[in-house]
């Protein structure tokens, strides 16, 4: 891994108590969860679709995607742009924006649950917490029914 | 200046700029195959347009550059810097010609032979001395007028903010999304970028939402209809219409160039070609139109160039001298289907196999195993062409790969059918995902869905008290609609919604839908009305869900799914829809040869059948609800006691599937209990009456199995097709049974008449048509009387009677006509052909008395 410093802005979020992060540069909106339209046949990972200023956003349930227990507190929706399409990630809460350095990122340790292996870019050790940087592209692909 | 030329200039200038960049990057990566293909396609497009516009200098220049490029593509030579320089000089030459066309409106006089010769020299000397041509080229490039300055000036004028759509991949698309304002001041039209239109539409949708919210809050404050709000409302609606309309164009706009193209090809190749265009006014989304315009041009050109043969060849093949290329467009269940069909020589699977092998696209074994249809699809591979001669028009294998790329880019499909010697047909299906459509909004499970109005044929309310109702046949819901049997799909079940189904008793709606060749009904619990919707494509990760064609945002801001009738049909396995429809058709054709039989099991393993049209319902009765009253099995049904019959012992299931029959006249109903109902099939019924036991007319082979045909009369216990007057039945008791031959191509009547006449004491033989009857005659069979239908397909009853009376040993057998047409003229005609009597089909007692009279007369004559 390169030792040169590569500053990185990450949006922290929580799902089922665990701290995760997404790169802030792909985030287009952070909003309260709105009611989605359920899409039949779409599988558990897709919460539905919703309207964001005239664009259709496909909302992905992070809780289900990350294989965690159903959370009743999914109050926030982080909308990201991926391949010219908008995807929303439902999470419990949004924490803050973290200024980190890519050089400090470690690979997702194998001890972590297997289900997170493919979905995280890496892991950051923060004071008193661990944050898994989510790979949004993989999450979107993995939600494909 | 001509609009087309102005458009060509803008497009070409943009194309050339891209070509320059691409060529330069090719110089550093000469092995970059996709890049090479891209350059080739772009140049080909320019060349094609030049040819069409009659700009021969440009065309020649482009052609020679393309020939050189083709050498790289074929692998004959490597792209050397010298070659690139030559091609660039050709591009510069094209630029200077275009600049001149732009200022004068026509191609200038001049000679390009020096440039062409130098490139030709490079091509000819391809292997040994490619560099030899280089000095020439440099000299020539230097000698050309400096064209850079005017070009830059032009670019500045036409520059327009690039839309935020992704960078296009091909030259074809490039001319679409990179927008430019026409510099032609005489024109009242502006070229506006699709991105801008798209953005306008999004903004208008937003505006509509905001408007709706304002209207709502206005209502809450009880200031209903305040003037500014009303005004806002109507302006927004008008604006929405305007923006939507701006995106629609008749497809004919893309076709205007085609007649000329066909004309030119025909002239150049001494062919006679007629271009037929159907459906020019089909409105199509602007964006789609732009994207399919060039693919269509390629295909039309290919059809004329490769497809249609020369007049002499056509005559030799027994075809009319003039070949026809048919271009048609139509809406088909939410898709726009465009077909390009020619009656030319078609494609040779053998040649395509050979070419594919040569190109290394597949091994000989693979090709051998491939069906012809699959082999045909090789023509969509890049650089694939089976044309024997490379002409300026086509034949370099550019085109079909571009065609497919462009069509698939918008989510469409292109299919090819070709029969060697008969012609080829390309069928392009473009989904509605880019269009604005009228949709029927329905609701199920508290969620709304849109169904393209175009796919909706009719809407039927069904409830317990309506004439149409949902029935079950073989576990599949079906509905009888004007004699047609319509397979149904319950939306609620299809969508696998968790919420409880609102019950079959609840009133529902059946939306009769057409998906391609399949007709079926979608059962929904609520219909909300129609609305114009803006179709938005499904997110790419949801696109594989087959039952949705897209989604849309409604006026209240909610996103809803658009159902895809074709996808639903495929998913719900309306496999038998086609067959059911055939069955239904058979039923409606006034009960002709084909009869629709419902197959069921009862008593034993031998399948039983009964004509489907006799059944009014199929019910599931709880065994516990079945009662015994005075020795009769009955059930309470619609407030009455309905008798139930069983064939053999009563079925032992908890739920008994029961066929319910009702008499249209008397309203009396009865049920026949079954073990299982398993299918409805259309069959040509040949009932064998020998050895029939009570309750059955006889047996027939249905679906390869000996099947017993139920005799409803036996169970009905009522009048009708039943011998009620004992006198009728007993008349000939003391004499040998009279033999009657019944000739009727209607299975229905054969089915009804045979047992009826049997019971009247006659020995009845049935045949489905005059031919069968005449063969019985040839086989030495004899009858005492022939009853014949008049309206029959293979030979009408009059001709049959004439034949019998004039040409057979049956000439003395009395004949009775049975017809639904019963005017004095008809009767007169019948008698003149040799019928002894004429009876209306509906008059059963008249038939019996007529038979009696005829036999009595015959007896009298004998005496």
């Amino acid at each position: 891994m390169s030792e040169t410093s590569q500053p990185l802005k990450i949006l922290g979020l929580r799902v089922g108590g665990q701290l995760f992060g997404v790169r802030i540069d792909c985030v287009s909106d952070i909003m309260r969860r709105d009611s989605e339209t359920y899409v039949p046949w779409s599988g558990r990972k897709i919460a539905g679709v919703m309207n964001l200023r005239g664009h259709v956003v496909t909302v992905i349930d992070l809780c289900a995607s990350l294989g965690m227990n159903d959370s009743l507190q999914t109050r926030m929706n982080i909308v990201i742009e991926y391949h010219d399409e908008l995807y929303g990630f439902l999470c419990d809460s949004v924490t803050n924006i973290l200024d980190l350095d890519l050089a400090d990122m470690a690979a997702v340790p194998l001890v972590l649950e297997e289900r997170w292996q493919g979905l995280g870019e890496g892991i950051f050790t923060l004071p008193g917490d661990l944050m898994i940087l989510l790979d949004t592209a993989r999450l979107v692909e993995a939600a494909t029914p | 200046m001509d609009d087309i030329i102005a458009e060509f200039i803008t497009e070409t200038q943009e194309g050339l700029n891209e070509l320059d960049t691409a060529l330069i990057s090719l110089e550093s990566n000469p092995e970059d195959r996709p890049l090479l293909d891209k350059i080739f396609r772009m140049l080909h497009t320019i060349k094609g347009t030049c040819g069409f516009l009659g700009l021969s200098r440009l065309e020649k220049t482009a052609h020679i550059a393309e020939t050189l490029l083709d050498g790289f593509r074929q692998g004959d030579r490597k792209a050397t810097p010298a070659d690139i320089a030559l091609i660039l000089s050709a591009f510069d030459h094209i630029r200077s010609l275009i600049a001149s066309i732009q200022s004068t409106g026509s191609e200038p006089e001049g000679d390009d032979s020096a440039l062409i010769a130098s490139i030709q020299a490079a091509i000819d000397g391809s292997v040994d001395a490619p560099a030899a041509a280089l000095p020439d080229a440099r000299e020539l490039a230097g000698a050309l007028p400096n064209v850079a300055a005017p070009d830059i000036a032009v670019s500045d004028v036409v520059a327009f903010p690039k839309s935020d759509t992704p960078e296009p991949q091909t030259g074809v698309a490039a001319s679409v999304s990179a927008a430019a304002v026409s510099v032609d001041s005489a024109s009242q039209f502006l070229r506006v970028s699709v991105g801008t239109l798209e953005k306008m539409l999004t903004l208008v949708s937003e505006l509509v939402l905001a408007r709706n919210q304002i209207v709502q809050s206005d209502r809450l404050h009880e200031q209903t209809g305040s003037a500014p709000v009303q005004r806002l409302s109507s302006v927004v609606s008008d604006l929405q219409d305007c923006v939507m309309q701006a995106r629609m164009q008749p497809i004919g706009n893309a076709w205007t160039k085609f007649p000329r193209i066909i004309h030119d090809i025909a002239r150049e190749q001494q062919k006679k070609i007629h271009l037929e265009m159907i459906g020019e006014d089909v409105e199509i989304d602007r964006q789609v139109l732009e994207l399919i315009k060039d693919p269509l041009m390629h295909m039309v050109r290919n059809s004329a160039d490769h497809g249609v043969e020369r007049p002499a060849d056509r005559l030799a093949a027994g075809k009319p001298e003039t070949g026809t290329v048919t271009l048609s467009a139509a809406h088909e269940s939410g898709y726009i289907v465009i077909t390009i069909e020619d009656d030319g020589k078609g494609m040779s699977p053998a040649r395509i196999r050979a070419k594919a092998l040569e190109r290394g696209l597949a091994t000989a074994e693979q090709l051998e195993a491939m069906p012809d249809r699959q082999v045909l699809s090789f023509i969509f591979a890049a650089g694939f062409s089976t044309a024997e001669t490379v002409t300026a028009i086509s034949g370099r294998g550019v085109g079909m790969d571009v065609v497919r790329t462009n069509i698939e880019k918008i989510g469409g499909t292109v299919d090819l059918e070709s029969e060697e010697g008969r012609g080829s047909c390309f069928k392009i299906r473009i989904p509605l995902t880019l269009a604005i459509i009228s949709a029927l909004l329905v609701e199920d499970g508290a969620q709304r869905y849109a169904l393209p109005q175009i796919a909706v044929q009719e809407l039927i309310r069904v409830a317990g008290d309506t004439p149409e109702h949902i029935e079950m046949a073989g576990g599949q819901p079906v509905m009888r609609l004007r004699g047609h049997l319509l397979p149904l799909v319950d939306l609620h079940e299809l969508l696998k919604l968790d919420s409880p189904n609102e019950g079959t008793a609840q009133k529902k709606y059946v939306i009769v839908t057409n998906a391609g060749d399949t007709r079926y009904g979608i059962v929904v619990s609520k219909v909300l009305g129609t609305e114009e919707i803006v179709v938005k494509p499904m997110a790419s990760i949801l696109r594989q869900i087959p039952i949705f064609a897209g989604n849309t945002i409604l006026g209240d801001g909610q996103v809803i799914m658009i159902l895809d009738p074709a996808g639903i049909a495929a998913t719900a396995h309306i496999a038998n829809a086609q067959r059911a429809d055939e069955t239904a058709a058979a039923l409606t054709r006034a009960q002709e040869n084909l009869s629709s039989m419902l197959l069921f099991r009862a008593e034993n393993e031998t399948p039983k059948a009964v004509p489907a049209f006799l059944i009014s319902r199929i019910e599931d009765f709880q065994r516990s609800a079945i009662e015994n009253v005075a020795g009769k099995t009955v059930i309470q049904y619609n407030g009455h006691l309905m008798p139930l019959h069983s064939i053999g012992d009563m079925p032992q299931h908890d739920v008994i599937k029961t066929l319910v029959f009702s008499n249209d006249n008397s309203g009396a109903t009865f049920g026949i209990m079954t073990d299982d109902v398993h299918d409805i099939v259309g069959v040509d019924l040949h009932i064998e009456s020998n050895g029939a036991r009570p309750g059955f007319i006889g047996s027939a082979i249905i679906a390869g199995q000996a099947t017993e045909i139920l005799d409803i009369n036996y169970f009905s216990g009522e009048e009708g097709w039943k011998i009620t007057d004992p006198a009728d039945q007993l008349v000939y008791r003391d004499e040998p049974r009279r033999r009657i031959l019944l000739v009727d191509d209607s299975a229905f009547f054969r089915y009804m008449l045979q047992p009826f006449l049997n019971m009247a004491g006659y020995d009845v033989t049935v045949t489905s048509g005059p031919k069968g009857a005449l063969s019985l005659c040839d086989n030495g069979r004899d009858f005492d009387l022939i009853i014949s239908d008049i309206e029959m397909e293979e030979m009408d009853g009059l001709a049959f009677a004439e034949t019998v009376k004039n040409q057979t040993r049956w000439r003395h057998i009395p004949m009775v006509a049975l017809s639904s047409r019963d005017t004095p003229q008809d009767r007169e005609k019948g008698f003149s052909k040799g019928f002894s009597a004429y009876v209306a089909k509906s008059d059963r007692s008249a038939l019996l008395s007529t038979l009696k009279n005829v036999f009595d007369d015959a007896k009298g004559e004998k005496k």
Side-chain angles (χ1 to χ4, degrees):
Chain A
M1 190 176 285
S2 164
E3 288 305 315
T4 49
S5 120
Q6 280 180 274
L8 189 65
K9 275 189 190 298
I10 288 174
L11 176 68
L13 57 105
R14 284 191 183 275
V15 182
Q18 171 64 45
L19 181 63
F20 293 94
V22 289
R23 289 167 185 263
I24 196 83
D25 51 9
C26 68
V27 174
S28 85
D29 282 84
I30 303 167
M31 53 193 287
R32 290 204 163 273
R33 181 182 182 180
D34 202 356
S35 65
E36 310 91 19
T37 303
Y38 166 67
V39 182
W41 294 44
S42 63
R44 240 166 43 82
K45 291 175 187 167
I46 309 270
V49 286
M50 57 164 282
N51 169 18
L52 178 65
R53 295 186 298 273
H55 295 280
V56 177
V57 181
T58 308
V59 184
I60 293 169
D61 185 351
L62 272 189
C63 204
S65 287
L66 295 167
M68 304 175 81
N69 289 333
D70 270 349
S71 165
L72 298 171
Q73 307 167 344
T74 46
R75 286 192 300 259
M76 297 302 288
N77 188 358
I78 301 171
V79 179
I80 62 137
E81 202 175 323
Y82 172 63
H83 283 327
D84 295 318
E85 289 178 327
L86 294 176
Y87 291 92
F89 289 118
L90 291 183
C91 58
D92 297 350
S93 61
V94 172
T95 57
N96 55 340
I97 293 171
L98 302 154
D99 280 302
L100 296 168
D101 194 320
L102 201 57
D104 296 333
M105 187 171 78
V108 180
L110 288 168
V111 290
L112 269 188
E113 306 217 24
E114 196 188 331
R115 60 195 181 201
W116 293 351
Q117 286 289 337
L119 303 173
E121 274 189 56
I123 194 161
F124 287 92
T125 317
L126 305 177
D129 217 340
L130 279 174
M131 189 207 66
I132 299 167
L133 177 60
L134 292 173
D135 185 335
T136 48
R138 289 259 186 83
L139 276 169
V140 169
E141 299 302 336
T144 307
Chain B
M1 204 190 318
D2 200 326
D3 270 349
I4 297 176
I5 295 203
E7 195 184 327
F8 163 67
I9 289 170
T10 334
E11 282 178 5
T12 309
Q13 279 165 343
E14 286 163 6
L16 284 171
N17 291 341
E18 267 193 64
L19 270 173
D20 277 356
T21 325
L23 260 184
I24 286 156
S25 70
L26 184 72
E27 188 166 11
S28 42
N29 309 302
E31 302 290 329
D32 189 345
R33 181 72 196 197
L35 181 66
L36 189 54
D37 283 343
K38 179 181 162 187
I39 294 171
F40 198 72
R41 281 198 296 259
M42 287 166 76
L43 188 56
H44 192 77
T45 307
I46 293 176
K47 188 189 80 172
T49 325
C50 295
F52 154 66
L53 291 171
L55 304 170
S56 64
R57 287 185 68 188
L58 275 177
E59 191 192 6
K60 278 181 198 150
T61 312
H63 181 69
I64 195 77
E66 196 190 64
T67 311
L68 182 58
L69 271 169
D70 199 32
F72 308 152
R73 251 167 54 111
Q74 301 297 335
D76 295 340
R77 60 188 297 153
K78 276 230 169 65
T80 64
D83 294 330
I84 303 280
L86 269 176
I87 295 168
L88 282 176
S89 71
F91 288 177
D92 289 343
H93 190 64
I94 292 172
R95 273 206 187 86
S96 72
L97 286 171
I98 286 186
S100 151
I101 294 167
Q102 193 171 32
S103 53
T104 67
S106 65
E107 199 170 36
E109 293 294 317
D111 185 23
D112 316 302
S113 52
L115 176 70
I116 291 172
S118 68
I119 297 178
Q120 191 61 48
I123 295 166
D124 295 341
S126 60
V127 188
D128 10 299
L134 185 59
D136 278 356
R138 285 210 175 127
E139 215 173 276
L140 198 112
L144 279 166
N146 184 358
V147 291
D151 176 52
I152 287 165
V154 169
S155 312
D156 285 345
V157 176
V158 300
F160 193 83
K162 282 253 179 187
S163 66
D164 52 7
T165 49
E167 201 57 32
Q169 297 301 306
T170 69
V172 174
S175 62
V176 177
S177 56
V181 181
S182 170
V183 287
D184 187 357
S185 55
S187 161
Q188 288 298 301
F189 296 98
L190 278 181
R191 273 165 54 103
V192 180
S193 101
V194 172
T196 311
L197 272 178
E198 202 65 48
K199 206 163 180 184
M200 278 168 75
L201 194 65
T202 312
L203 291 173
V204 166
S205 314
E206 279 296 292
L207 195 58
V208 170
L209 296 190
R211 188 259 327 254
N212 292 352
Q213 280 159 9
I214 289 172
V215 170
Q216 247 166 30
S217 73
D218 196 41
R219 274 202 199 114
L220 283 179
H221 294 94
E222 289 182 53
Q223 299 165 339
T224 37
S226 68
V229 172
Q230 273 189 349
R231 175 124 187 80
L232 173 74
S233 201
S234 74
V235 169
V236 168
S237 300
D238 289 353
L239 181 62
Q240 190 181 13
D241 286 350
C242 259
V243 173
M244 286 182 177
Q245 197 50 46
R247 292 165 48 102
M248 301 300 275
Q249 282 190 330
I251 197 164
N253 285 8
W255 296 357
T256 47
K257 296 175 181 177
F258 296 169
R260 175 73 191 273
I261 291 170
I262 297 287
H263 172 85
D264 287 355
I265 292 174
R267 206 189 48 209
E268 270 166 41
Q269 307 186 356
Q270 286 99 47
K271 287 178 180 174
K272 291 192 175 169
I273 308 171
H274 169 66
L275 176 68
E276 177 109 21
M277 297 195 286
I278 303 163
E280 285 130 302
D281 49 3
V282 169
E283 288 235 308
I284 171 169
D285 188 278
R286 203 203 127 76
Q287 198 175 355
V288 182
L289 185 75
E290 286 289 349
L291 286 169
I292 58 160
K293 206 156 118 184
D294 294 84
L296 279 181
M297 196 198 287
H298 277 288
M299 293 166 94
V300 167
R301 226 184 236 163
N302 275 346
S303 291
D305 190 19
H306 299 319
V308 177
E309 314 92 323
R310 280 167 216 286
D313 297 340
R314 291 184 61 86
L315 288 174
K319 295 191 219 181
E321 207 179 10
T322 306
T324 308
V325 174
T326 311
L327 186 62
S328 70
H331 281 291
E332 189 183 281
S333 53
Y335 285 82
I336 292 156
V337 176
I338 303 168
T339 55
I340 299 117
E341 197 173 358
D342 67 69
D343 63 348
K345 60 176 178 277
M347 291 176 200
S348 155
R351 257 172 62 197
I352 296 176
R353 277 198 175 88
K355 189 87 182 178
L357 189 63
E358 186 192 314
R359 293 245 153 199
L361 295 172
T363 67
E365 293 75 40
Q366 285 171 333
L367 285 167
E368 198 54 49
M370 252 179 227
D372 284 355
R373 231 190 128 80
Q374 201 179 338
V375 169
L376 286 181
S377 65
F378 275 122
I379 69 149
F380 293 110
F384 194 92
S385 172
T386 58
E388 267 141 28
T389 48
V390 172
T391 65
I393 299 157
S394 48
R396 289 182 196 274
V398 171
M400 291 324 293
D401 60 326
V402 187
V403 165
R404 192 160 75 171
T405 318
N406 277 285
I407 290 169
E408 286 181 354
K409 204 183 284 172
I410 52 173
T413 59
V414 53
D415 281 317
L416 165 64
E417 270 173 46
S418 182
E419 197 180 331
E420 206 173 349
R422 299 289 296 276
S424 311
C425 178
F426 288 94
K427 192 171 181 184
I428 304 173
R429 266 165 79 89
I430 303 162
L432 49 81
T433 47
L434 296 172
I436 297 159
I437 55 160
S438 170
L440 186 70
L441 297 186
V442 301
E443 191 179 299
D444 208 313
Q447 199 166 305
R448 289 170 291 176
Y449 297 90
L451 188 69
Q453 186 74 48
I454 204 124
V456 176
Q457 290 191 327
E458 89 188 84
L459 190 60
I460 299 161
R461 195 179 75 93
V462 288
D465 56 347
T466 54
E468 279 84 22
H469 45 251
I470 300 167
E471 300 162 42
M472 297 298 290
Q476 282 282 321
V478 295
M479 187 177 81
R480 256 179 287 148
L481 179 62
R482 293 184 295 274
H484 286 249
L485 205 67
L486 195 70
L488 301 177
V489 175
D490 193 323
L491 188 64
H492 193 88
E493 278 164 30
L494 176 80
L495 300 176
K496 299 177 193 156
L497 297 178
D498 295 335
S499 59
N501 201 339
E502 277 147 45
T504 38
Q506 203 86 30
K507 73 169 184 194
K508 288 191 170 218
Y509 293 88
V510 170
I511 304 167
V512 182
T513 313
N514 212 5
D517 305 323
T518 313
R519 219 167 90 102
Y520 68 100
I522 300 175
V523 184
V524 298
S525 54
K526 237 184 224 174
V527 172
L528 304 170
T530 58
E531 199 164 304
E532 291 275 308
I533 58 167
V534 181
V535 179
K536 293 179 183 276
M538 294 294 281
S540 53
I541 65 165
L542 299 178
R543 218 161 281 166
Q544 68 188 65
I545 301 178
I547 55 173
F548 300 125
N551 41 35
T552 188
I553 300 176
L554 290 182
D556 61 5
Q558 208 186 352
V559 181
I560 66 164
M561 304 291 131
I562 301 168
L563 299 169
D564 178 0
I568 292 174
T571 320
H573 300 296
I574 311 265
N576 56 349
Q578 190 92 18
R579 198 180 57 190
D581 204 49
E582 274 167 23
T583 310
L587 274 173
T588 38
R589 266 183 273 144
Q591 279 87 34
E592 286 180 42
N593 289 335
L594 271 180
S595 186
S596 166
M597 302 297 283
L598 181 127
L599 293 179
F600 63 97
R601 282 183 202 278
E603 186 188 14
N604 52 33
E605 281 307 300
T606 310
K608 314 276 187 290
V610 65
F613 60 82
L614 294 175
I615 302 166
S616 63
R617 288 191 78 113
I618 300 172
E619 293 285 355
D620 285 334
F621 288 135
Q622 294 295 328
R623 211 166 99 89
S624 51
I626 297 173
E627 300 165 63
N628 235 312
V629 176
K632 284 185 175 170
T633 312
V634 292
I635 189 159
Q636 290 190 21
Y637 187 66
N638 289 348
H640 296 280
L641 279 183
M642 179 173 77
L644 292 179
H645 303 283
S646 61
I647 300 164
D649 293 330
M650 185 166 150
Q652 294 303 305
H653 315 281
D654 291 338
V655 174
I656 300 176
K657 270 204 189 313
T658 306
L659 311 179
V660 178
F661 299 85
S662 70
N663 184 310
D664 295 339
N665 301 322
S666 66
T669 57
F670 65 97
I672 292 179
M673 295 178 283
T674 72
D675 287 331
D676 185 24
V677 170
H678 54 102
D679 209 352
I680 290 185
V681 291
V683 288
D684 191 0
L685 208 56
H686 292 289
I687 301 174
E688 196 65 57
S689 302
N690 292 341
R693 57 191 177 123
F696 295 91
I697 304 174
S699 53
I701 303 295
I702 297 177
Q705 271 192 292
T707 306
E708 287 185 294
I709 314 292
L710 203 67
D711 178 5
I712 295 305
N713 306 322
Y714 177 85
F715 296 98
S716 69
E718 58 171 301
E719 300 181 18
W721 288 95
K722 201 146 194 197
I723 308 300
T724 45
D725 183 355
D728 280 344
Q729 206 166 352
L730 299 172
V731 161
Y732 301 109
R733 217 185 203 176
D734 49 339
E735 297 176 24
R737 276 159 74 98
R738 305 281 178 161
R739 297 160 300 171
I740 294 181
L741 174 65
L742 174 65
V743 186
D744 198 320
D745 66 351
S746 151
F748 172 81
F749 268 91
R750 291 201 304 273
Y751 184 85
M752 287 310 212
L753 269 181
Q754 186 179 23
F756 176 67
L757 293 171
N758 270 330
M759 279 181 275
Y762 297 105
D763 176 8
V764 185
T765 302
V766 181
T767 172
S768 62
K771 284 183 186 158
L774 293 172
S775 75
L776 287 174
C777 178
D778 292 343
N779 290 339
R781 294 282 298 272
D782 270 309
F783 300 97
D784 299 310
L785 185 134
I786 299 168
I787 300 176
S788 174
D789 186 18
I790 296 297
E791 293 85 19
M792 286 183 289
E793 236 170 65
E794 56 176 56
M795 176 194 271
D796 75 17
L798 299 173
F800 172 59
E802 209 170 11
T803 311
V804 168
K805 292 290 172 192
N806 296 330
Q807 296 171 23
T808 69
R809 58 186 181 84
W810 280 357
R811 62 177 66 92
H812 302 299
I813 301 177
M815 292 181 76
V816 174
L818 194 63
S819 174
S820 43
R821 292 201 347 224
D822 187 28
T823 64
Q825 290 90 332
D826 289 324
R827 285 171 172 269
E828 200 48 54
K829 230 187 265 170
F831 292 134
S832 73
K833 299 293 179 193
F835 280 107
S836 320
Y838 203 101
V839 183
K841 258 189 173 173
S842 53
D843 197 346
R844 301 185 286 259
S845 56
L847 178 64
L848 286 185
S849 57
T850 304
L851 289 179
K852 212 153 120 188
N853 290 340
V854 171
F855 281 124
D856 287 348
D857 288 353
K859 226 190 280 179
E861 273 168 28
K862 269 181 196 164
K863 273 178 187 168

